Amino acid sequence: MSSEVLQLDGVSRTYGAGATAVAALRNVNLTIHAGEFVAVMGPSGSGKSSLLTLAGGLDRATGGEVFVEGTPLGGLSINELARLRRRAVGYVFQDFNLVPTLTAAENVALPRELDGIPARKARRQANDALRLVGIEDLADRFMDQMSGGQQQRVAIARAIVGNRRLILADEPTGALDSATGDGILEVLRGRTEAGAAVVLVTHEARHAGWADRVVFLKDGRIVDEAASQHDPSVLLTGRAH
Amino acid sequence: MSIRHSLLALLQEGPRYGYQLRGEFEERTGSTWPLNIGQVYTTLDRLERDGLVEKEGDDGEGHVVYTITDAGRTEVTDWFAQPVAATNPPRNELAIKLALALTLDGVDVAAVVQAQRTASMRQLQDYTRQRRAAATSADAAPAAQGGPKANDAAWLLVLDSLIFTAEAEVRWLDHCEGWMAQRAVRAGKQRTAVAERQAAEHPAAAAAGTRAVSK
Ligand SMILES: Nc1ncnc2c1ncn2[C@@H]1O[C@H](COP(=O)(O)OP(=O)(O)O)[C@@H](O)[C@H]1O
Ligand SMILES: [Mg+2]
């Protein structure tokens, strides 16, 4: 199997039509492999969230094609798309999108159960994910009993549960203090080391610093990319300058 | 950077010769600011002249060993007690470059900003990677050698400083870009307003007027 987990091929997204049409993405090309951590930066309104929703199959491109693990999303029915999302894609929404009437563990286990995994196994995977984000002791709390930062960690646990291959996170460190934010980045980094591809939208340069590649968006276009040095020996000698 | 105070501070731990001082300085700061041995000996000469260190003699292998004096200890105490003076900002080539780019004709400021942001971001990625590696090896130390060494902690601290400085640079560049975009929008609105006023006052000259105020 190819190691390309996500591929955007000439992708455009225009909202509306005619005089009021907004071109949120224009002819974007981006390929992300297994084990890669990519950050997306850009000013507000540059198309970061649009890019992520298209990559996660939550919205459809108006031009070009999105491939997830080689499957072109354009040809899938709504049901097929939903199945692919549950199986392969973990998504952290900017506003969490958690179910308030479920506990933390139930929220995290829900996508697994919908995918036909037995409840006990789903619950065990949920607990593993909650442990990874450092809130296993809050598993039975409801959302209104949790702080913003804690809810954000539930949202991240839900995205990483069950070894998803593609993890997409939209400003997931927004409500977190600096040290907790670093902990979340450690978790995301850990997923790439387990073979997942991670795309992180962030406006915080220090968090983007964790990525292998940083893509800069502006007016719906990729204008530049920063890739870190991969050769560790270059780093060690490179630090004395 | 005060080499003078750094060497003096290291001598508080006991008598040392030049190469030892250089090695200890670089170990604590991860060789981020390498010292050449000539600098070390020149500095030791001046410290001796000022009565802050004394030559203790030879270590038997031809190394001249220095020891700190009471006056030297007082100097170190004062150094740690006083904040680093920031009244005279260090010359910042990037700020100077952008200030000039903004005021000179024919420079694509947006391109200057983006090129720099990519470079600063790459540096931030590299420092972050090094920090993760350093933190991992510091965490691995306890089992083997009874706790992370103070020098590992010092190196992490220096890396954090480099990371926060690079972050500040990227944030500042984002800010510059946003500010320039707003200014461009305001300038555009002003042009439109002037053109509309002219069109109302002198309908016949409107087309020419738009061109005249577009500077
Ligand atoms: N559902 C929508 N309908 C209309 N316009 C939208 C919609 N979503 C986003 N946009 C517009 O598309 C552009 C990109 O938005 P978005 O992807 O949310 O940017 P970012 O996440 O970088 O702030 C903006 O101009 C925004 O106003
Ligand atoms: Mg957004």
Side-chain angles (χ1 to χ4, degrees), chain A residues 111-123:
Chain A
R112 308 305 291 155
E113 290 188 45
L114 286 176
D115 215 22
I117 298 204
R120 277 185 49 195
K121 187 173 175 199
R123 177 62 197 243

Side-chain angles (χ1 to χ4, degrees), chain A residues 41 43 178 186 189 193 203-214 216 218 223-230 235-236 239-241, chain B residues 26 29-34 110 114-115 117-119 121-130 132 155 163-164 166-167 170-171 174 177:
Chain A
M41 295 191 83
S178 166
E186 195 82 65
R189 189 80 236 184
E193 272 147 29
H203 63 270
E204 296 207 40
R206 204 161 51 80
H207 293 161
W210 285 68
D212 302 304
R213 292 156 60 200
V214 181
F216 295 96
K218 193 175 174 184
V223 291
D224 211 348
E225 177 173 322
S228 82
Q229 304 261 21
H230 271 268
L235 285 183
L236 287 173
R239 83 186 183 202
H241 61 232
Chain B
E26 294 193 353
T29 55
S31 305
T32 311
W33 300 282
Q114 183 54 48
R117 180 163 40 208
T118 303
M121 193 66 232
R122 190 172 298 133
Q123 189 144 62
L124 185 48
Q125 288 170 278
D126 291 343
Y127 289 146
T128 305
R129 189 181 282 265
Q130 284 179 63
R132 286 182 60 233
W155 170 223
I163 285 168
F164 279 98
E167 178 195 30
V170 175
R171 289 184 58 180
D174 287 346
E177 187 181 61

